[in-house]
Amino acid sequence: MFVDRVQIEIKAGDGGAGGLSFRREKYVARGGPDGGDGGRGGDVIFEADESLRTLMDFHYRRKYAAQNGQPGSKNNRYGADGQDCIIRVPPGTLVKTLDGQVVADLMTHGQRTLVLKGGQGGYGNAHFATPTRRTPAFAKPGGKCQPFTVVLELKTLADVGLVGFPNAGKSTFLAAATRANPKIAGYPFTTLHPNLGMADIGGFSFALADIPGLIEGASQGVGLGHDFLRHVERTRLLLHIVDVAGQDGRDPIEDFDTINRELAQYSQELAQREQLVVANKTDLPDGQAYLELFVEEMQKRGIAVYPISAATGEGVRRVLEVCAEKLSKMPPQQPIRAETTLIEQEGAPYEIFTSEEDGVVCVEGPMIDRLVSSVNMEDFDSFNYFQRVLRDKGIIQALRDYGVADGDTVEVGGIAFDFIE
């Protein structure tokens, strides 16, 4: 099965919670706090692996998560960091967001890209000890990480892309030019997925990809071609193979124009990519008859034509020599630049609003949730820390500006307090 586009869910590891502990040993007076910090959560990393050819593995497994960091413990012991989640993909794989923005482009074997960073470990209570606060009875939780859904899209890494109508002879050409063994049969849509082969001309090697047959309307989703047009995007040079024998009642010139029109509708950049026009099946009687008319029309457009017979091998080497000459003067393939990073969009750190149920002023948000979860409301020092953060972050002033007066009830993270300046 050839799979070249999948959706998967990825999640970085949560940070471990800080330890809440006090040293208590015989003969050790005033041992003090000794809760260690939590470990960092594991990262999500994508790695290109040339042993993979498709995204088929992701068809069966759709969720990937890094290991969470371990909590800190007594005796100032730090929690262990979580293991990274390394996701191996074929070279040429793009990692995209659901709205199509590129996060990473993995082109070369062994290339690694950090896509999601694990959560930070929380501080243990030993971290909060000061000369005036000797017994902090609170610790911080680890950073939480949200899952993301990403799209993996494989674009074949080839120097030359073979395009043309079904049954034009692309697979036969690939077999004649390389050691590839694609399935070849005398009916349309024999090729159901891109086939790759390596050609070597005078010590210059390059990869060719047989792109499954395009038909009219492929750029709008007709036939098989629309599923594989993305594989043409990586190529530096196009070999446009035309059946000049006009089998199945086809018109070679009309076929040539149709394929170019579909490429242009899919991508204007593709329409401007350099092409070599290859007239195939010249060994057939009809091929010889139509070749002259086809060459004459192409000459009017200023386009050179290379006649071949992929079945007999005649003219194939000449086409490969021209490909090698042109490729040697072209810049190498460049990765697609990342357009975004996967950063959790939390919105505003907090918001102040009046509850419709009881008219109480509420303060809620991600920052508030993290603060409340790290505070022991029954501990005097911890509660003072909570009040100081509210004041330092401007939340107390924001409540005053909102209209809260002395004696009013305020809910912060779901906990009710009397507001007193």
Side-chain angles (χ1 to χ4, degrees):
M1 182 191 303
F2 184 85
V3 179
D4 64 349
R5 194 175 191 276
V6 293
Q7 284 187 16
I8 63 171
E9 182 181 284
I10 58 176
K11 180 185 178 298
D14 297 336
L20 179 59
S21 173
F22 293 93
R23 185 180 181 190
R24 291 184 176 86
E25 285 184 57
K26 191 175 182 180
Y27 307 122
V28 177
R30 300 175 182 174
D34 67 349
D37 297 345
R40 182 186 60 83
D43 301 331
V44 175
I45 299 170
F46 281 84
E47 179 181 351
D49 185 345
E50 63 185 7
S51 68
L52 301 175
R53 289 291 180 266
T54 79
L55 301 175
M56 184 173 64
D57 291 346
F58 302 98
H59 185 71
Y60 302 103
R61 180 184 172 190
R62 297 296 181 98
K63 292 187 177 182
Y64 295 81
Q67 190 178 39
N68 295 334
Q70 298 300 304
S73 58
K74 61 183 180 180
N75 295 329
N76 291 305
R77 286 181 291 193
Y78 284 21
D81 292 340
Q83 278 190 336
D84 296 335
C85 176
I86 300 175
I87 304 175
R88 292 178 171 83
V89 295
T93 300
L94 288 172
V95 182
K96 292 183 171 183
T97 61
L98 288 176
D99 59 1
Q101 290 186 297
V102 176
V103 176
D105 184 9
L106 296 108
M107 288 186 59
T108 58
H109 175 67
Q111 178 186 349
R112 285 189 170 193
T113 301
L114 173 64
V115 173
L116 282 180
K117 194 166 182 61
Q120 290 295 322
Y123 292 139
N125 67 332
H127 191 91
F128 298 99
T130 67
T132 57
R133 185 175 60 213
R134 299 186 178 185
T135 57
F138 60 95
K140 294 195 72 172
K144 301 297 181 184
C145 297
Q146 298 299 317
F148 284 88
T149 298
V150 295
V151 175
L152 303 184
E153 190 175 277
L154 177 60
K155 294 186 177 184
T156 302
L157 290 174
D159 300 294
V160 179
L162 310 183
V163 297
F165 260 83
N167 225 21
K170 299 186 300 299
S171 297
T172 306
F173 179 89
L174 184 69
T178 71
R179 294 184 179 180
N181 294 301
K183 182 180 178 181
I184 300 172
Y187 55 86
F189 301 116
T190 306
T191 306
L192 298 177
H193 57 80
N195 290 306
L196 281 173
M198 292 296 298
D200 187 287
I201 298 295
F204 184 87
S205 299
F206 56 93
L208 296 93
D210 169 17
I211 309 301
L214 308 179
I215 63 175
E216 187 171 8
S219 58
Q220 281 77 45
V222 178
L224 296 176
H226 72 287
D227 288 328
F228 301 109
L229 274 166
R230 69 176 69 96
H231 295 281
V232 188
E233 292 184 90
R234 295 277 197 190
T235 58
R236 296 187 286 163
L237 179 67
L238 297 180
L239 278 189
H240 193 151
I241 298 181
V242 181
D243 173 9
V244 291
Q247 292 184 310
D248 303 322
R250 308 205 60 84
D251 182 338
I253 297 174
E254 184 179 326
D255 285 355
F256 175 80
D257 291 336
T258 299
I259 293 298
N260 280 320
R261 187 164 55 249
E262 292 304 320
L263 292 175
Q265 289 177 356
Y266 180 77
S267 166
Q268 281 298 318
E269 185 182 352
L270 273 182
Q272 298 169 3
R273 191 152 306 169
E274 186 169 359
Q275 289 187 15
L276 292 184
V277 179
V278 178
N280 190 27
K281 302 188 182 181
T282 57
D283 56 312
L284 300 179
D286 288 341
Q288 289 292 338
Y290 287 118
L291 176 61
E292 186 176 342
L293 293 174
F294 183 75
V295 171
E296 182 180 346
E297 175 61 27
M298 293 298 106
Q299 285 178 341
K300 292 179 182 177
R301 305 183 188 187
I303 299 174
V305 177
Y306 298 87
I308 68 162
S309 169
T312 65
E314 183 181 356
V316 170
R317 182 170 181 83
R318 173 55 184 157
V319 172
L320 295 178
E321 288 173 347
V322 176
C323 287
E325 181 183 352
K326 290 185 175 294
L327 289 171
S328 65
K329 300 175 182 178
M330 292 180 177
Q333 295 170 334
Q334 297 297 321
I336 298 174
R337 182 179 298 177
E339 299 170 328
T340 187
T341 56
L342 293 184
I343 301 174
E344 185 179 347
Q345 302 298 321
E346 294 183 331
Y350 67 89
E351 60 176 336
I352 301 175
F353 61 94
T354 302
S355 171
E356 296 181 357
E357 296 181 3
D358 49 20
V360 173
V361 175
C362 302
V363 186
E364 293 184 0
M367 187 192 80
I368 300 299
D369 294 339
R370 289 193 295 268
L371 176 62
V372 170
S373 65
S374 66
V375 170
N376 178 4
M377 295 297 177
E378 297 180 358
D379 179 79
F380 179 75
D381 288 333
S382 184
F383 188 69
N384 281 343
Y385 168 79
F386 172 74
Q387 290 180 309
R388 187 168 63 255
V389 171
L390 293 182
R391 185 171 57 252
D392 293 345
K393 296 295 183 181
I395 298 174
I396 298 297
Q397 184 60 49
L399 287 170
R400 292 184 189 129
D401 297 341
Y402 190 80
V404 176
D406 278 359
D408 290 348
T409 300
V410 176
E411 282 192 9
V412 180
I415 302 176
F417 301 91
D418 289 333
F419 185 81
I420 301 175
E421 293 194 57

